[in-house]
Structures are given as structure tokens and as C-alpha cells.
Amino acid sequence: MGHEYVPEIAIDRDGNQHEVQGWQGDFYGGKLGFWLFMLTEVMMFGAMFLALAYYNTLHPQDFLDASASLNRLLGGTNTVILLVSALTMGLGLLRMRAGDVKGAKLMIWATIILAVAFLVIKGFEWTAEYHHGIFLMHDKLLPESSLPFGQKLFFGLYFSMTGLHGFHIIIGIGLMLWLLKRINAGKVSPEHHILHWNIALYWDIVHLIWVFVFPYYYMIGAGGATGGH
Amino acid sequence: MSKTYFDETHCAIGHPKSTFMQWMLTIDHKRIGIMYAAVMFVFFFVAVFTAFAMRLELFAPGGQYMDGDTFNQAFTLHGVIMIFLFIIPGIPAIFGNIVMPLMIGAKDVSFPRLNWFTFWLYIAGCCIALASLFIGEGVADTGWTFYAPYSMNTGTNVIMALVAAFVLGFASILTGLNFLVTIHRLRAPGMTFFKMPLFVWGIYATAWIQLLATPVVGITLVLAILEKYFGIGIFDPAKGGDPVLFQHLFWIYSHPAVYLMILPAFGIMSEIIPTFSRKEVFGYRTIALSSASIAGIGYLVWGHHLYTSGMSDIAKTVFSFLTFFVAIPTGVKFYDWVATMYQGKIVLSTPMIWALGTIITFAIGGITGITITMIGMDVHLQDTYYTVAHFHYAILGGVVFLMFAGMHYWFPLITGKMYNETKAKIAFYLNFIGFNLLWFPMFIAGYYGMPRRYFDYLPEFQIYHQISFIGAVIFITGLIYMFWVFFKGWTKGEPTTPNPWHATTLEWHLPTSPPPLDNHSKVPYVDFDPYEYKHGEPVVKFNYETMQRID
């Protein structure tokens, strides 16, 4: 593109030289930018957690009952899968920094497979809930159904948040495939791996959000009498 | 004669031959800023004429030209365009892009391609907003706040408007992010935070609000969309949802958004006042830090929009206190500006008289804001023309006036030409008189109980609406005249030197006017304060070949 950066030197009054920071190849700037972007993700999910906490205080018992009906086994499995995928992603970044491009690619593929497994399990969960009559615009969540207000709100938020989280997983898979393409093209290398770094950070936020979603939705009803299905 | 940024550019993809495509694909921050300006002012005039149509309808009691539904759609269109397409992105997108990198000695923003993408995201948002006019049952009729549950139930095209606002919000987040990284990473060597020009401080504080507040409204709009399409019931009382929660989440963003509008405008003021007083700015640090504190406190005051929506008395009292509290850093800024002018060699050029006019109009907007901070007063004045007048005095008389001041101030920098001073001053007086004639009567009408957003009214309010109408005609004439003066200046104006105002900040120390593609030919070492004057002349002088100081 012809924007290669030749570091420029500014000279102060005493004749000392100071290197001017350019926007080209600014590794630290790229990292900072992505951290800030992840901050917006936290604010976004934070607003939804705020709504969740608010309705939880209004309808505590309904929330416990609704939470008890979620499948903790599948949810827990998914949590483990996502935690392991964060590990593989991190290991991939370490491989890349150590200069082992092949190992890094392997780890990214492992992460992709785990991410797909997560989505498949999520699909099973949603299907099961659909068969129980719990789904958006469907049966028990319609305004005229007799399900208590608190449970309707719980499931409304449940589908919104797990749906949005799932959407982030899909984006993450896309990003990792793109990353592999860039690695193969030699655009991402041990010397120039800001993209890998940032996607690893993204994946960290995605799993971190799930670490909050899981207890809020699946665990709070765990002590109830009804149990999972 | 070296080439300027009008002659050449860097492009996001390849390097097309045609000038048009070069503009479309440019990643140069100065060109992107100009394109923002061009698009935004088109929308600005659309919204102005929508407002004028409403004034025409309100000239006499009873319905004349439009029915109630159309009127609802008209004020929604006016609000959505003005807020989301014009004022919120306005100053950061235009002047943040054009002059902020020049001020800190950067060659461009940190992510120039992201900047290009952001511009087109903004255009996409505008297109969606425009499409909502023609698709479905027409443009939304909810007002720009989209309050639930009405927005969930109305048949008009609320979804499109929400999606548009979401996309525009995304563009705003990315702009803020880009600026934050730019300000952190690309300052010239030696330029510490407390050596940055005050406009950069304004942009910096604004960028944090853009980054932290916008996602909240984004997700709120997404929830509203999900609610409308999938019936999740977060805001719908029929499913146990709480409409007031929508207001909370909405104003958590939208109140800081007011500071997001005003802080960069205050930044422009802080540039103009010392330059035209030929004096070092009084209380540099307090102005800089007050921007940061306004941004911080601005987060905690959203509740004052909900005094009448149902909130506990304690919450109301706390929000009222915090709202009063914002007035302190704002007052600090105003006193600092006045103190800067004290014993200065004041030059009454057009940017300066715009700034001085704004001190009057924004003071009226701010002081009337304090009256409605009081809970008792607010219950009386909520949703009346008093609030309308307060808002327009603060935002139009504050933000937009300062944007115009900035346009005059940086006009020679951007175009390399000079507008006609006399004509520009005539335009200012037309605007200033028209503005006050237009909005001041609304304080009185509102105090006597004229509700906002009504397309009809009792005959006793007619006189106020008629005075307003006359003001509106003068104001619009002034606006058109002002842009005509700009146009004439750009096409036929006198070429100017790089620093016609004897300003001190870095953007005026460029080798040519308009600036070359790569900004400063050479980046200087910054070991001086941004506003250093001695006997009315700038202290710091450069040799433009080496960018070393020669004073």
C-alpha cells in the first residue's frame, strides 16, 4: 500500500533526538484499541445483567423456579468446553509467540472445534426448551399464557443473552477462520501477531461473559426442589 | 509549492484514478472530516426545514397544513436527525477528525482504515434512517426517545429507526475508540497530557463517553427490537416488563450524550477565547480537568429525566443533587474563559463573536437547566415549551453555535482561503437575533403551560408562537446566508497564510495552507504550553524546514 513507516525523529532545543510514534505497525496501539473495544462489550452485557438483576429482585421466587428448569448438565458441559477452548486459544498464542506457527494453527483449529461443539449443545438445549413450550413468540411465553411474570422475564432475558452470546461465538469462529487464512498468507507471523493477540483477547471476553451467564441463569435455581429435566 | 491534501490522498483499497473514487476511498483524516461535514449539513438542513414546517403549522391554533399524526412524525424526524445524525457525531466527526491529529502532531488517526469504515457505517445508518421514511407505515412517531411501551405498540416504522440509531451508535463508538488510541499513542514527542490543546482534552473526555455510554443504549435498542419482533417482554407491562427500565437504560446513555455534544464544543470555545484575546488561557488545568469531571459526573445524573416517571423520593433527591453538581465544573470553565479575556487584546473577528454570543445563549440554557433540576419546578415544567426552550438554548445555542464558531475559526486552515469578514458578521447577527426571537418566547409560553409536542393549542398562546415564527424566518435566513458566505469564501476567497489568527497551537504551524497530505512536514518537539503569548504575539515560532524553535 506504500504506507511503510520510516521512524521520524524530532529534535528538541538541546539537540536531543526523540523518535516519533507513527500509526503504522503500532503494536501497543492495536492492543489498546482492542482492549477499549472489549470494554464496550462489557458495558453492553453489563446493561443486560443490570436488567436481569433488577427483575431478579422483583421476582426472586419466579427466577429460582425458572432457573431450576434449565438443564444444568448441558450448561455445565458447555462451561467446561468454553473454558478449555480459552485454554487452547491461549496456548495457540503462546505457540505463535514462541515461533511455532504450525502448533499455533493446530490450537486455533482445536478452539474452533470446541466452539462448534458449544453451539451444537446450545442447539440441543434450545430445542429441548422449545419442546417444553418455552420459546420466543411461542406457547408459554405469549402474553396470554399463565406463566408467572417473573418466569416470562427470566426466559425472555435468557434467550436474549444466550442468543447474543451465541452470536459472539459465531463471530469468533469467523474471526478464527480469517486468522488462519491470514497466517497461511503469511500476514500474521511470530513477528507480527497483533491480530492473533486481539482475537485471543476477544475469545477471552466471550468465555468470561459466559462465566457470568452460567451461574446467573443455571445455578441460582440449583438448590430448588424441582431439579433439572 | 508542495501538494496539499486536496491534491493527493491515501486510499483504503488501491489507488483509483478518478477524483471521485479517491474521495470515496480516502483514509486521510482531513478528507474524511470534510465528507462528514458535507453529509451532516445536508441532514441538518433537512431537519431545519422539518422544524420550520412545524412552526408554520403552529402559527395559528387549529390544524392547517398537517394532521396530528403527521406532526408526531415530523417532530420525531426532526429529533432523530438532529440528535443521532447531526449533533452527537457532529463536532468529533468533523473537527475531531480534521484538526485533532494536527493539534497533537500526528500524521493521521491511529486506525485510518477503521476511520474510513466508520464513515461508511455512518452513511449506512443514515440510509437506514432515510429508508424508514418510505418503508412500512412511515417514519416513527415516538419522539427521538422511543419510549416504551408506546414504541412497542405503534404501527409506524420504529424498528428501522432503532436499527439506524444502533448502527450510528456503533459508528460513534468506533470514532471514540480511534480518537482515544490516537490521543494516547500519537502525540508528538514531548507533548504530555497537560501540554495538549484544550480541544483535544474535550475530544478525549468525549471519546470516553462515546466508548462507555453508547453500548448501553445500543443494547437497549437491541432489546427493544427483540421485544418488538420476538416478544421477550422486558419493557412490556403485559408480560411483567417495566417501561421505566427502558427510560433508565435509555438515559444512562442519552444524558451523558448531552455532555458528549457539549464537551468538544467547549473545547472549541477554549481554543477561540485565548487566540482572540491574545493571552494565555486562564486556568488551563482546571479547564482540562473540568472536561474530565463533567464527563464523569455526567454519568450519574440520568435520573433527572425521570422525576415524573415514578422513582423513589430519595433517588430523586440524589439525582437532583448530582445534577446541580455538574454545574460546578461547567461554571469553572465559564469563569476561566471570562478571566482569560480580562485585560486581553480582544480581537472581534467572526469566530470570537460567535464564541461571545454562545456565552450568552449557553448561559441562558444552563441557568434554565438549573431551574428544572429542582424537583418541584421540574414537575411543573416537565414536557412544556420551557424544556424545549432550555434544550435548544443549551444545544443549539451552545453546541451548534460553537460548531459554527469552529467552522469560521478553522475555515482558513481547512480550505486555505478566507471568507468575507463583514458578511460573516452580518450572518452572525441574523442568526443571533433570530435565535433569541425564536426560542425566548417559548420559556414564557412553557411557564404558562404550553405543552410540547402538541400540534394544536389554546388561543392565549398564539402570540408566543407568532413571535417564534418571525424568529424562525430570520434564523433560517441567517443560516442560509452563513453557508453562502462559506461557499463564496471557499470558491472565491482570498488565499491565506497558514496562521492568519496568530494562534499558538500546533495545527497552525503547518508548512502550507491548506495542509499537506502528511500534515506537519516534520514533527516538532513539544516543550511549550499550548497557549503562550507575550505582548499579544505568539511566543513560539518555528523554522518550518526543520520544525525547530527559532524564538
Side-chain angles (χ1 to χ4, degrees), chain A residues 85-107:
Chain A
S85 81
L87 176 70
T88 54
M89 193 74 196
L91 287 174
L93 186 60
L94 286 179
R95 295 277 89 213
M96 177 60 86
R97 290 173 68 185
D100 177 6
V101 176
K102 198 162 168 239
K105 275 162 66 178
L106 213 63
M107 283 298 162

Side-chain angles (χ1 to χ4, degrees), chain B residues 86-103:
Chain B
F86 178 67
I87 296 173
I88 288 184
I91 298 179
I94 299 174
F95 295 122
N97 261 317
I98 300 177
V99 295
M100 187 272 286
L102 292 167
M103 282 178 149

Side-chain angles (χ1 to χ4, degrees), chain A:
Chain A
M1 300 287 266
H3 309 321
E4 280 77 27
Y5 182 61
V6 185
E8 199 180 305
I9 304 294
I11 299 161
D12 66 20
R13 306 194 90 177
D14 303 327
N16 301 318
Q17 299 192 333
H18 302 266
E19 194 172 311
V20 178
Q21 177 66 51
W23 56 267
Q24 298 94 332
D26 183 7
F27 188 92
Y28 184 84
K31 225 164 66 169
L32 177 65
F34 209 76
W35 269 100
L36 292 173
F37 185 66
M38 288 300 104
L39 206 56
T40 69
E41 294 275 354
V42 171
M43 289 304 288
M44 201 175 83
F45 276 95
M48 297 181 93
F49 278 116
L50 187 76
L52 182 71
Y54 171 64
Y55 286 123
N56 194 3
T57 55
L58 286 189
H59 312 280
Q61 192 54 48
D62 286 351
F63 265 53
L64 292 183
D65 294 343
S67 166
S69 75
L70 292 179
N71 192 326
R72 278 185 295 284
L73 183 65
L74 289 183
T77 314
N78 254 349
T79 309
V80 174
I81 288 178
L82 214 50
L83 287 173
V84 174
S85 81
L87 176 70
T88 54
M89 193 74 196
L91 287 174
L93 186 60
L94 286 179
R95 295 277 89 213
M96 177 60 86
R97 290 173 68 185
D100 177 6
V101 176
K102 198 162 168 239
K105 275 162 66 178
L106 213 63
M107 283 298 162
I108 295 169
W109 275 115
T111 316
I112 292 175
I113 290 165
L114 288 167
V116 172
F118 178 94
L119 287 178
V120 170
I121 293 178
K122 190 97 246 153
F124 278 124
E125 257 189 281
W126 277 30
T127 318
E129 276 140 17
Y130 182 82
H131 288 303
H132 283 88
I134 295 170
F135 206 69
L136 302 168
M137 306 288 270
H138 180 70
D139 205 10
K140 288 188 189 165
L141 293 193
L142 291 174
E144 55 272 17
S145 92
S146 61
L147 199 70
F149 274 167
Q151 295 208 26
K152 280 186 193 170
L153 291 168
F154 180 90
F155 285 115
L157 278 164
Y158 164 78
F159 283 114
S160 307
M161 285 181 79
T162 56
L164 194 66
H165 182 264
F167 183 62
H168 277 80
I169 299 264
I170 294 170
I171 292 176
I173 294 173
L175 285 173
M176 283 185 262
L177 290 172
W178 179 55
L179 175 62
L180 285 168
K181 195 169 158 251
R182 299 283 290 181
I183 293 176
N184 287 335
K187 302 268 183 182
V188 174
S189 61
E191 295 76 43
H192 191 82
H193 61 280
I194 180 69
L195 186 70
H196 194 167
W197 185 300
N198 281 344
I199 291 173
L201 177 61
Y202 172 86
W203 198 251
D204 260 353
I205 298 280
V206 169
H207 102 263
L208 199 63
I209 288 167
W210 181 260
V211 168
F212 283 87
V213 168
F214 178 66
Y216 259 105
Y217 283 100
Y218 292 83
M219 300 287 278
I220 56 169
T226 37
H229 49 244

Side-chain angles (χ1 to χ4, degrees), chain B residues 44 137 149 239 241 309 371 397 429 457 462 511:
Chain B
F44 172 74
E137 296 297 305
K239 289 182 181 170
S309 304
T371 60
Y429 287 111
Y457 53 85
Q462 190 177 11

Side-chain angles (χ1 to χ4, degrees), chain B residues 89-408:
Chain B
I91 298 179
I94 299 174
F95 295 122
N97 261 317
I98 300 177
V99 295
M100 187 272 286
L102 292 167
M103 282 178 149
I104 61 172
K107 301 284 182 190
D108 206 323
V109 292
S110 262
F111 309 114
R113 282 195 195 79
L114 181 70
N115 203 16
W116 171 76
F117 172 74
T118 309
F119 173 75
W120 288 101
L121 201 61
Y122 168 80
I123 298 292
C126 295
C127 291
I128 298 170
L130 281 187
S132 77
L133 286 172
F134 310 107
I135 296 173
E137 296 297 305
V139 63
D141 59 353
T142 55
W144 70 276
T145 51
F146 307 117
Y147 272 4
Y150 179 72
S151 55
M152 304 297 144
N153 301 324
T154 173
T156 53
N157 213 341
V158 175
I159 295 276
M160 290 283 268
L162 290 173
V163 172
F166 181 80
V167 173
L168 292 165
F170 215 106
S172 173
I173 290 174
L174 293 176
T175 307
L177 188 153
N178 214 339
F179 288 172
L180 277 179
V181 179
T182 308
I183 293 170
H184 271 283
R185 295 292 297 159
L186 301 184
R187 279 170 288 128
M191 183 183 270
T192 59
F193 261 68
F194 285 106
K195 285 195 167 65
M196 295 195 306
L198 287 163
F199 180 69
V200 181
W201 268 99
I203 290 286
Y204 183 69
T206 305
W208 275 110
I209 303 178
Q210 284 175 308
L211 194 80
L212 291 180
T214 320
V216 180
V217 80
I219 198 67
T220 311
L221 301 179
V222 169
L223 283 175
I225 293 167
L226 289 177
E227 176 137 3
K228 226 176 143 139
Y229 265 144
F230 298 113
I232 58 169
I234 309 291
F235 306 126
D236 186 357
K239 289 182 181 170
D242 187 351
V244 179
L245 181 68
F246 180 88
Q247 296 189 23
H248 276 291
L249 289 176
F250 183 84
W251 286 112
I252 287 173
Y253 163 75
S254 297
H255 197 79
V258 175
Y259 302 109
L260 201 158
M261 304 169 200
I262 197 71
L263 283 173
F266 283 167
I268 294 177
M269 181 88 106
S270 309
E271 294 297 322
I272 290 175
I273 298 280
T275 301
F276 292 94
S277 305
R278 300 281 193 265
K279 215 167 141 256
E280 184 157 359
V281 71
F282 182 88
Y284 169 86
R285 275 179 189 246
T286 51
I287 295 184
L289 293 176
S290 69
S291 288
S293 19
I294 290 172
I297 304 165
Y299 266 96
L300 309 172
V301 305
W302 77 87
H304 66 224
H305 294 268
L306 282 80
Y307 288 158
T308 57
S309 304
M311 224 183 3
S312 76
D313 285 345
I314 290 177
K316 280 185 203 170
T317 315
V318 170
F319 279 123
S320 178
F321 170 76
L322 288 168
T323 309
F324 277 119
F325 203 61
V326 178
I328 296 171
T330 316
V332 166
K333 275 180 190 287
F334 272 80
Y335 287 126
D336 279 343
W337 291 327
V338 175
T340 305
M341 286 186 279
Y342 177 68
Q343 288 195 336
K345 275 173 75 176
I346 293 178
V347 184
L348 285 176
S349 295
T350 318
M352 187 64 171
I353 55 174
W354 272 101
L356 294 178
T358 310
I359 288 186
I360 299 169
T361 49
F362 189 83
I364 296 174
I367 289 165
T368 52
I370 291 188
T371 60
I372 47 180
T373 302
M374 288 179 257
I375 301 162
M377 284 299 275
D378 184 72
V379 171
H380 175 69
L381 296 169
Q382 174 99 28
D383 280 333
T384 64
Y385 264 61
Y386 190 91
T387 322
V388 176
H390 152 68
F391 182 82
H392 283 87
Y393 261 95
I395 299 302
L396 182 55
V399 183
V400 182
F401 272 25
L402 282 172
M403 189 194 259
F404 292 159
M407 283 165 70
H408 286 91

